[in-house]
Amino acid sequence: MPEGRWVRLSTEKPTSTVYVLGTETSLDVCGSAPTGAAAFDVWGTSGLNLFIVHNGEVLKIPCCVTRWPLNSRVEVIVTMDAPSVEVDEDKVRISYYKDKGKTPIAKAVLHLTCVEISLDADTSRSGSVHRNAKDKKNWTWGPEGAGAILLVNCDRDDPETKDVDNKDQKMQSFMDRGDMSLMILTTRGPDDIFEDHQLVLHVSASDTDKVGVFHAQGRKKKLSQHKHVLGSGKLSYLVEHSSGQEENFFYVEALAFPDITFPGLVSFHATLLEATTQELPEAPIFNDTVVFHVAPWIMTPNTLQPVAVYVCSMKDNTAFVADINKLAKKAGCKVIVCPEVENRGDQWIQDEMEIGYTQAPHKSFPVVFDSPRNRGLDGFPFKTVLGPDFGYVTREPVNESVSSLDSFGNLEVSPPVTVKGKEYPLGRVILGTYFPSLHGQKMVKVVRDFLYAQKVQSPIELYSDWLLVGHVDEFMTFVPAPDRKGFRLLLASPCACYKLLKEKEQEGYGDAMMFDGLEEGKQSSVTTILADKSLRSSNEYFQKCIDWNRDILKGELELTEEDIIDIPQLFSYVRGKAIAFFPDMVNMLVLGKYLGIPKPYGPIIDEQCCLEEEVRRLLGPLGLACIFIDDYKTYHLFYGEVHCGTNVRRKPFSFKWWNMTP
């Protein structure tokens, strides 16, 4: 339904008003009627469309009806089809009559000037702005939905600047402008109207710290002519009309991602104000609104194609870095090495950051989420990863202490799933927390709130506090698969490990040694491991912890046992928590069909590590290449593995987040 406006008439003198194209003007026929009037007729110039509301019906005024009864149920509506060339170009006249009178007892004349005012953005999500779109005030999800989208301008296009691009009020470059969404204010009509009225672009006070708006002034729209006009405390902007200029171009950036106190919706308004008297302020006579949704931060699962692998260079991990390079070369992606001068002895690059992306119809770019762990690698995401078309976001707790659970080895995401008929086309975020009790640790609130507020990857919380380090990547991961759901969930399994070792003992390999080839005194035979009651008792408990999570994942991702593969693994009991007894094979690097798996140093049988052989047997039928990487001395002994020591940037989903329904 078109926006309507009620206009009062006068029988004492002609009045004038502005009609805005696409609206309806309702005439106050009864309010201006003289005493004794019982009927009226309507006449208008050719530029007007006149309608009568009578007995609940809207009719174009027929020429065969000369008069209409004067009562509150009768209404006259005026519309126009094109902007006026001159002020007061068209007029409508209401003539009032006494009952059965032939001569009018009074007349009310209204002059109208038609102007076009439209505030538009890419509400169709096609990548370009369409004028006069309908229902711009509402933002809807789904493939049939509509509404414009904003990117958080959190990259750094100019390496000379010290912060992300949206921290200042300057247009740094045309590359910087490319991260912003275009908003066009169209004004057509006689110049005198816009000189006598004010046109104001404004945003609500609650949104002023969420957006920034630049006005491209001048006909050539040079970079220097982009003026910061809204946001960062600026609530309104008077748009000055220039003769012959029908369009004003505005470029909009988001300053913040959705969060617990910000659902991500921002409204912009263009309001036409009419002068009243010198003593009184202007009165609004028209408003057009367009709503944007800020694009969320999106994580990428192991099933998406890798683009680049990040790894830290340390004085003693040269062979490890070389192995990662070989693996990445097979997968066709590049390797980015963080030197020791930058990592400051902190090799756990998985824990420091998570690389996701943000996306609008006109552009997409990766965004690194910097964890609040703040150790040696603390400056790396901001100083090195942040750059042109590579954004940055972080959340720092204020009144909470940071624990190991706040490192991003404790943050994963599933591939796309459908659960009880509800689709999660971007998968579901997975994070570790404590067992449901009065005690334990969990991820800090600011990070959890941020993850939940993105809406598009509804989080799942698992129990990971049974582990000494406490990260979900220590007992689970996802690998691509050509069948079923397109992936398999891999779970570390003490039960599967004991079963395998028992089989080997029964086959006569009880003397085969675990950790063969490592330092003296570390080796243990299969029989010795099976006979260790304390180790077995601990692993029975650890298996129950994993099984608790198994049930959660089966329910939250709608998995069956056929979707899950148990990877043999044992854990040791240290300081009341679990650490990997041998290199944790689930803590792997997934690069397409190539898997970089921690070398387990399992018992050698027929010149083959039986643990490696078992993993190949389980994963080989999926077309996956298992490549075992020695991380024992450089990572495993420090409670981490291959996944903990690497990080991956992946291609974004082909699915557009706005086409889903959260």
Side-chain angles (χ1 to χ4, degrees):
M1 183 177 181
E3 184 173 333
R5 180 181 169 224
W6 185 262
V7 175
R8 299 184 182 279
L9 305 176
S10 173
T11 57
E12 297 179 1
K13 61 178 181 179
T15 57
S16 298
T17 193
V18 172
Y19 169 85
V20 180
L21 200 65
T23 65
E24 291 181 349
T25 295
S26 298
L27 305 185
D28 181 17
V29 176
C30 293
S32 61
T35 302
F40 70 94
D41 67 20
V42 185
W43 172 87
T45 53
S46 59
L48 304 178
N49 302 308
L50 298 174
F51 300 88
I52 195 84
V53 179
H54 184 247
N55 292 331
E57 293 186 71
V58 180
L59 306 170
K60 194 160 188 177
I61 294 181
C63 58
C64 59
V65 179
T66 56
R67 295 184 189 178
W68 300 90
L70 188 66
N71 60 61
S72 59
R73 292 170 297 179
V74 177
E75 184 179 356
V76 175
I77 297 175
V78 179
T79 67
M80 301 178 74
D81 297 327
S84 301
V85 176
E86 298 178 356
V87 176
D88 294 342
E89 188 173 85
D90 288 280
K91 67 179 178 179
V92 59
R93 183 185 65 215
I94 306 294
S95 300
Y96 295 97
Y97 301 86
K98 288 185 177 181
D99 188 26
K100 297 182 181 180
K102 295 183 179 180
T103 304
I105 59 174
K107 296 179 181 180
V109 176
L110 177 67
H111 294 272
L112 294 110
T113 307
C114 180
V115 299
E116 179 182 357
I117 299 173
S118 183
L119 186 64
D120 296 290
D122 180 16
T123 53
S124 66
R125 303 166 187 168
S126 63
S128 59
V129 177
H130 295 275
R131 308 296 196 277
N132 299 303
K134 296 180 180 179
D135 202 23
K136 295 178 288 187
K137 294 182 179 181
N138 297 310
W139 201 97
T140 52
W141 295 85
E144 304 302 320
I149 293 168
L150 279 182
L151 290 174
V152 179
N153 190 13
C154 58
D155 65 342
R156 183 167 56 198
D157 290 319
D158 184 354
E160 299 300 319
T161 59
K162 295 181 179 180
D163 214 330
V164 297
D165 286 345
N166 62 16
K167 292 297 184 181
D168 56 29
Q169 297 180 20
K170 296 180 181 179
M171 183 76 75
Q172 298 288 355
S173 63
F174 285 107
M175 188 176 179
D176 183 23
R177 194 179 78 175
D179 298 334
M180 304 181 192
S181 295
L182 177 62
M183 183 169 65
I184 300 176
L185 178 60
T186 302
T187 55
R188 293 188 176 97
D191 290 340
D192 290 346
I193 287 293
F194 293 104
E195 291 176 3
D196 294 337
H197 294 70
Q198 291 186 356
L199 185 58
V200 178
L201 185 69
H202 54 106
V203 66
S204 68
S206 61
D207 292 338
T208 185
D209 61 338
K210 307 297 190 305
V211 294
V213 180
F214 294 84
H215 184 194
Q217 300 175 317
R219 296 192 180 276
K220 293 186 178 181
K221 298 178 178 60
K222 297 178 181 179
L223 199 62
S224 59
Q225 294 176 314
H226 289 71
K227 178 183 178 183
H228 184 270
V229 296
L230 286 180
S232 299
K234 300 173 183 176
L235 296 177
S236 63
Y237 172 62
L238 180 61
V239 183
E240 296 183 358
H241 180 76
S242 298
S243 180
Q245 182 179 343
E246 296 182 340
E247 295 178 328
N248 282 273
F249 290 80
F250 296 89
Y251 293 90
V252 189
E253 62 180 358
L255 307 183
F257 282 97
D259 215 324
I260 186 73
T261 59
F262 174 47
L265 293 173
V266 180
S267 298
F268 292 95
H269 313 276
T271 300
L272 185 66
L273 301 174
E274 184 178 53
T276 52
T277 65
Q278 291 183 348
E279 294 78 19
L280 297 174
E282 295 82 4
I285 60 174
F286 173 76
N287 173 267
D288 200 14
T289 298
V290 63
V291 177
F292 287 83
H293 197 300
V294 177
W297 179 77
I298 302 171
M299 288 182 65
T300 54
N302 287 348
T303 48
L304 291 177
Q305 182 179 340
V307 175
V309 179
Y310 292 78
V311 64
C312 289
S313 173
M314 310 289 288
K315 61 183 178 181
D316 57 355
N317 76 339
T318 304
F320 179 84
V321 173
D323 287 340
I324 296 300
N325 269 285
K326 292 176 185 176
L327 182 69
K329 187 175 182 180
K330 289 178 182 289
C333 58
K334 64 181 179 179
V335 174
I336 298 172
V337 179
C338 174
E340 195 165 7
V341 67
E342 289 188 49
N343 64 55
R344 297 181 294 176
D346 180 8
Q347 67 218 52
W348 311 110
I349 199 164
Q350 179 65 226
D351 290 340
E352 181 58 38
M353 62 188 191
E354 185 68 41
I355 300 174
Y357 69 96
T358 190
Q359 184 177 44
H362 71 283
K363 188 167 185 180
S364 169
F365 56 78
V367 177
V368 58
F369 187 7
D370 189 359
S371 80
R373 68 190 283 268
N374 297 343
R375 290 172 59 181
L377 274 163
D378 181 41
F380 179 70
F382 186 82
K383 293 178 181 178
T384 304
V385 180
L386 168 65
D389 283 345
F390 208 127
Y392 173 90
V393 66
T394 191
R395 287 295 181 272
E396 291 289 341
V398 178
N399 296 316
E400 292 181 277
S401 58
V402 174
S403 72
S404 177
L405 270 67
D406 299 306
S407 296
F408 286 169
N410 197 30
L411 180 61
E412 295 296 321
V413 64
S414 80
V417 291
T418 300
V419 182
K420 297 179 181 178
K422 181 172 178 55
E423 294 183 352
Y424 297 91
L426 303 175
R428 301 188 67 181
V429 165
I430 297 170
L431 54 99
T433 185
Y434 60 87
F435 188 78
S437 68
L438 296 177
H439 305 287
Q441 300 181 99
K442 62 180 178 180
M443 196 172 279
V444 290
K445 187 176 185 297
V446 287
V447 173
R448 292 173 69 252
D449 287 346
F450 176 83
L451 295 171
Y452 276 91
Q454 306 314 303
K455 294 183 182 178
V456 296
Q457 294 179 307
S458 179
I460 301 167
E461 298 194 28
L462 299 182
Y463 167 42
S464 66
D465 200 27
W466 57 277
L467 293 150
L468 183 66
V469 176
H471 296 175
V472 293
D473 70 351
E474 296 177 76
F475 66 87
M476 62 156 290
T477 193
F478 297 95
V479 294
D483 56 357
R484 298 186 62 76
K485 292 180 171 62
F487 68 90
R488 294 289 192 277
L489 167 65
L490 307 188
L491 290 177
S493 174
C495 184
C497 191
Y498 274 113
K499 180 181 178 182
L500 176 66
L501 295 179
K502 186 64 177 177
E503 288 174 357
K504 297 308 174 186
E505 184 185 50
Q506 291 173 345
E507 292 170 4
Y509 300 110
D511 293 333
M513 303 297 287
M514 177 74 78
F515 306 119
D516 192 21
L518 294 176
E519 66 268 16
E520 288 295 325
K522 183 66 178 177
Q523 294 84 358
S524 296
S525 69
V526 170
T527 298
T528 300
I529 292 171
L530 290 173
D532 189 333
K533 293 182 180 180
S534 177
L535 183 66
R536 183 180 286 271
S537 176
S538 297
N539 276 276
E540 286 174 353
Y541 167 71
F542 299 144
Q543 184 67 68
K544 290 179 181 178
C545 295
I546 295 169
D547 288 345
W548 176 279
N549 292 309
R550 184 191 203 96
D551 290 339
I552 294 174
L553 289 167
K554 286 173 70 174
E556 295 291 345
L557 300 178
E558 199 167 287
L559 305 179
T560 68
E561 284 298 314
E562 291 179 292
D563 299 314
I564 303 172
I565 297 176
D566 290 310
I567 301 298
Q569 186 64 47
L570 295 181
F571 297 90
S572 297
Y573 191 69
V574 176
R575 302 200 297 274
K577 300 291 180 75
I579 63 169
F581 178 68
F582 55 82
D584 188 350
M585 293 186 289
V586 166
N587 193 272
M588 64 178 67
L589 174 61
V590 181
L591 301 179
K593 69 176 184 177
Y594 298 98
L595 310 181
I597 305 173
K599 181 178 177 61
Y601 282 97
I604 303 299
I605 298 172
D606 295 333
E607 300 182 352
Q608 291 287 330
C609 169
C610 67
L611 289 171
E612 292 184 18
E613 188 176 24
E614 177 67 3
V615 170
R616 287 193 179 97
R617 183 188 70 82
L618 292 169
L619 302 182
L622 299 176
L624 300 172
C626 299
I627 300 166
F628 291 89
I629 296 175
D630 185 359
D631 72 350
Y632 187 86
K633 293 181 179 180
T634 50
Y635 293 88
H636 171 72
L637 292 180
F638 301 98
Y639 310 136
E641 310 289 357
V642 173
H643 186 257
C644 303
T646 56
N647 212 307
V648 183
R649 174 192 162 196
R650 301 181 186 275
K651 285 191 173 182
F653 285 99
S654 58
F655 182 88
K656 311 303 182 187
W657 62 267
W658 51 85
N659 287 331
M660 70 175 291
T661 302

